Amino acid sequence: MQTIYYDLRDTKGQQKEIEDKISAAAKILREGGLVGIPTETVYGLGADGTNPAAVRRIFEVKGRPQDNPLILHVTGAQWLPRYCAQIPPVAYTLARKFWPGPLTMILKRQPAVPDETTAGLDTVGVRCPNHPVTLAIIREAGMAIAAPSANTSGRPSCTSAQDVMEDVGGRIDMVIDGGPCAVGVESTVLDLTREPPRLLRPGGLPVEDIERLIGHIDVDRAVSASLRPEERPGAPGMKYRHYAPKAPVTVVTGSPMNSARKIAERAGPGAGIICFDEYAHLFTQQVVRSLGPSSDKFTQAQRVFEALRSFDSTEVEEIFAQCPDNRGLGLAIGNRLKKAAGFHVINADSQRIILGVTGGTGAGKSSALRAVQDLGGTVIDCDLVYHRVLAEDDAFKNAINEKFPGVFSAEGQLNRKKLGQEVFAKRDRLDQLNAIVYRFLVPVLEQVVASVDGLCVLDAINLFESGLDRLCDRTIAVTAPTELRVKRIMARDHITEQYARLRVNAQKQDEYYRGKCDCELNNASDSPEEFRRDAYLFFERLVEAIQEEKRHG
Ligand code: TXA
Ligand code: MG
């Protein structure tokens, strides 16, 4: 399909020609076609929001998940009653102050809005964009335009008509070039069906501006963190990995000076860097995209998507990004960067916290470790590191071979069964093996830990015997009543009760771990999800306490 490209960057000149182009766009929309439209935030992929077939085409062209609703674009608050029900007065207060502008309000919907547009929800998002061309098109078309951001699903949003052509050119009817987007990040999405209203997506209108007008608003958890799998964000779109370039992104928060230093320390030659102007000179070997001065969030918002997109046409294999603080537009800019990074975030200001987690089989250590990851922590599986070192380090192999001749094949493969038989039931042989393992493993683990920022957790069965506990700020025993452990192992490993009891009894008992560790996380819950939530809160509190301690020396 040929996509018509209309240049309407300059709306001062040939009035007749401009009006003709606007009419042509409105006609396409009325007939169920798709038009790439400029707005002050990002470009939209517009269709008649009341036409189910047209809206379905948006989803097809974008490759957008079916459960992610679209925003209706209108020319002012006078359109609200057509599409929304039970409109609270605060909606008009907000519209008066912030429309046209980067604010989307979620309200109860009228039956006039098809399920296709709202993804079956009983609410609808509405906004009045601040762009003369698009406002003229909506007026002329005479209906609300449903428009998501014009990028193909998962890619960074489009802030120029060229971006739109790149993503969906050839698959839509028309693109209107209204110039580069003045704001650069999408609208702020505010749910007005709740009291107090809730921020679902930070955007071009800062939270502070909204709160100054209408008082406190709640903030959906999806705004600042990666959600746990069972959690549902207020805005369905917030659960998807988004805005992501092909290369993995690491966001470095903290003071600009610290984050620049941290990135300089980590980024190899050829990495992609998104940084503030002042620090660009640090990265002579890398591919640099400047966000603008660290104090100028307007420019950063305008540039953030283009910076992310631009790496896709380079060879960079990893990307590091500096990140503004959360005030004003910074919340939206940081949110887009962090989403692009799948919430892989390093805080350059924060100190490392190391926890050691241990406990017997069936107690719930895996769920506890997942909770650590939910918190953004890094889990180091010491057993995995052991096997890696064993495969790679000849000195390690030789040391074992010396004490246990014949456990390696001619190709250097460890015969685990044979080694197992050697040490099983022979306490002194096991001690000898462990001594070797710890000697080689602990220095490696120390290095691994040193490369992690923020929260780092060692998952080690022999946390104390190995001496790894000495690296830890705290050690945690995951414990559980014996009967529950037996039940869990039976279900998990499909084994008989007798065998499960044997396994539990063959291990160290909870008393041992309780006696050794600084803290205990007891898992008496029948539901792994419930325990994972408890564990999340447990670790959150523990980390806060340790941070507090470190701050006060
Ligand atoms: O600035 C913007 O808002 C741009 C321009 C084109 O207007 N549009 C935009 O649309 O960003 P989109 O579809 O990329 O993002 C809309 C977000 C999604 O996260 C979606 O889940 C959420 O708004 N949303 C839409 N309708 C909703 C509803 N009824 N309830 C909750 N969230 C909703
Ligand atoms: Mg989008």
Side-chain angles (χ1 to χ4, degrees):
M1 154 187 257
Q2 174 94 34
T3 299
I4 302 166
Y5 168 87
Y6 275 167
D7 186 350
L8 280 175
R9 276 175 297 181
D10 179 9
T11 47
K12 290 181 199 73
Q14 301 287 322
Q15 213 42 46
K16 171 84 176 75
E17 200 188 316
I18 293 162
E19 278 165 20
D20 285 350
K21 287 179 175 169
I22 286 169
S23 298
K27 182 161 179 287
I28 290 176
L29 290 167
R30 274 197 307 271
E31 289 168 355
L34 301 191
V35 180
I37 50 170
T39 86
E40 81 283 28
T41 57
V42 300
Y43 274 73
L45 183 54
D48 176 353
T50 61
N51 175 343
V55 170
R56 273 197 297 271
R57 277 195 59 210
I58 293 182
F59 282 84
E60 273 164 38
V61 167
K62 265 185 76 97
R64 183 177 174 103
Q66 293 291 339
D67 66 351
N68 195 1
L70 306 181
I71 296 171
L72 286 180
H73 295 71
V74 298
T75 61
Q78 71 280 9
W79 288 51
L80 286 178
R82 247 163 102 176
Y83 302 111
C84 309
Q86 304 163 37
I87 306 164
V90 69
Y92 290 102
T93 310
L94 286 163
R96 214 172 299 126
K97 174 94 179 172
F98 298 121
W99 276 6
L103 172 67
T104 294
M105 304 196 257
I106 307 295
L107 294 162
K108 290 283 178 203
R109 72 153 151 160
Q110 289 284 7
V113 185
D115 275 342
E116 279 75 4
T117 300
T118 67
L121 297 179
D122 65 350
T123 56
V124 61
V126 215
R127 107 171 175 97
C128 174
N130 189 11
H131 197 291
V133 172
T134 290
L135 286 173
I137 295 172
I138 303 172
R139 231 171 262 127
E140 169 116 12
M143 66 355 223
I145 299 184
S149 50
N151 53 290
T152 46
S153 224
R155 281 207 82 193
S157 300
C158 301
T159 49
S160 73
Q162 286 65 45
D163 291 347
V164 182
M165 285 304 263
E166 185 180 301
D167 274 25
V168 296
R171 285 185 289 152
I172 65 175
D173 301 277
M174 180 182 278
V175 172
I176 305 269
D177 191 342
C181 297
V183 174
V185 291
E186 299 92 333
S187 61
T188 300
V189 179
L190 188 66
D191 184 352
L192 292 180
T193 67
R194 334 173 49 123
E195 187 36 51
R198 171 173 297 211
L199 177 76
L200 302 185
R201 177 179 76 179
L205 179 64
V207 174
E208 293 90 333
D209 293 6
I210 298 174
E211 289 195 319
R212 220 170 287 129
L213 185 67
I214 65 167
H216 172 77
I217 61 175
D218 284 340
V219 175
D220 201 73
R221 235 182 68 77
V223 168
S224 54
S226 174
L227 292 179
R228 282 167 270 155
E230 75 279 8
E231 275 182 298
R232 287 181 45 202
M238 292 292 278
K239 73 170 169 283
Y240 296 104
R241 180 159 188 243
H242 245 148
Y243 313 126
K246 293 186 190 106
V249 181
T250 302
V251 169
V252 184
T253 59
S255 74
M257 174 68 94
N258 285 353
S259 59
R261 283 206 187 120
K262 176 73 76 189
I263 294 174
E265 219 172 272
R266 296 205 154 203
I273 309 287
I274 296 177
C275 66
F276 303 125
D277 288 359
E278 301 94 303
Y279 305 98
H281 70 275
L282 292 177
F283 306 104
T284 51
Q285 313 259 306
Q286 289 88 355
V287 182
V288 178
R289 300 286 180 263
S290 175
L291 272 184
S294 61
S295 59
D296 180 0
K297 288 174 178 162
F298 287 101
T299 303
Q300 293 162 27
Q302 285 171 344
R303 291 191 189 167
V304 64
F305 281 129
E306 190 48 41
L308 286 166
R309 287 178 76 89
S310 72
F311 287 115
D312 280 352
S313 56
T314 71
E315 298 292 309
V316 305
E317 282 174 4
E318 53 175 355
I319 298 165
F320 292 90
Q322 281 192 285
C323 182
D325 66 54
N326 279 337
R327 287 188 298 265
L329 276 176
L331 187 65
I333 302 163
N335 170 269
R336 304 309 189 265
L337 286 169
K338 288 171 190 170
K339 290 196 72 158
F343 284 93
H344 187 253
V345 181
I346 295 172
N347 183 345
D349 293 346
S350 95
Q351 285 157 317
R352 186 177 305 123
I353 290 177
I354 306 169
L355 304 180
V357 174
T358 189
T361 180
K365 201 164 54 119
S366 325
S367 301
L369 293 172
R370 252 173 256 131
V372 166
Q373 287 167 326
D374 294 338
L375 267 175
T378 305
V379 173
I380 295 168
D381 179 340
C382 296
D383 199 44
L384 214 71
V385 176
Y386 162 64
H387 287 296
R388 205 193 68 212
V389 176
L390 191 60
E392 289 167 4
D393 186 343
D394 287 332
F396 188 18
K397 284 185 194 171
N398 291 341
I400 295 179
N401 207 27
E402 217 167 273
K403 282 268 188 252
F404 301 88
V407 294
F408 285 97
S409 70
E411 295 81 43
Q413 278 291 326
L414 177 68
N415 185 335
R416 287 205 198 137
K417 204 164 153 205
K418 196 160 172 187
L419 185 62
Q421 279 162 355
E422 271 284 321
V423 299
F424 189 67
K426 279 185 239 156
R427 192 59 223 231
D428 59 324
R429 293 295 272 162
L430 181 61
D431 289 344
Q432 285 170 358
L433 176 64
N434 279 340
I436 301 170
V437 172
Y438 302 153
R439 176 151 55 89
F440 281 90
L441 204 55
V442 173
V444 176
L445 282 165
E446 276 182 78
Q447 269 179 29
V448 175
V449 167
S451 73
V452 173
D453 289 279
L455 177 59
C456 172
V457 176
L458 290 170
D459 166 15
I461 304 178
N462 294 327
L463 187 62
F464 296 97
E465 297 82 342
S466 60
L468 282 171
D469 63 307
R470 286 194 290 273
L471 300 180
C472 300
D473 292 297
R474 290 281 200 293
T475 51
I476 296 105
V478 182
T479 60
T482 307
E483 288 314 304
L484 265 179
R485 288 175 60 194
V486 169
K487 250 175 52 190
R488 287 190 202 125
I489 312 176
M490 283 169 62
R492 185 188 69 195
D493 300 343
H494 309 289
I495 54 176
T496 63
E497 182 178 340
Q498 196 189 9
Y499 188 47
R501 276 189 200 287
L502 215 65
R503 290 236 324 248
V504 168
N505 289 330
Q507 293 192 341
K508 295 194 183 75
Q509 299 306 300
D510 280 355
E511 285 67 48
Y512 168 83
Y513 294 114
R514 213 170 270 142
K516 285 269 186 195
C517 289
D518 301 316
C519 355
E520 176 177 359
L521 175 58
N522 187 258
N523 173 10
S525 168
D526 274 331
S527 135
E529 286 75 40
E530 188 188 11
F531 176 58
R532 186 164 164 183
R533 274 193 296 277
D534 290 349
Y536 182 91
L537 295 174
F538 169 88
F539 284 113
E540 195 171 46
R541 256 178 250 135
L542 186 60
V543 166
E544 271 165 24
I546 297 171
Q547 274 168 345
E548 189 66 14
E549 247 172 55
K550 291 198 181 215
R551 260 198 296 278
H552 301 293

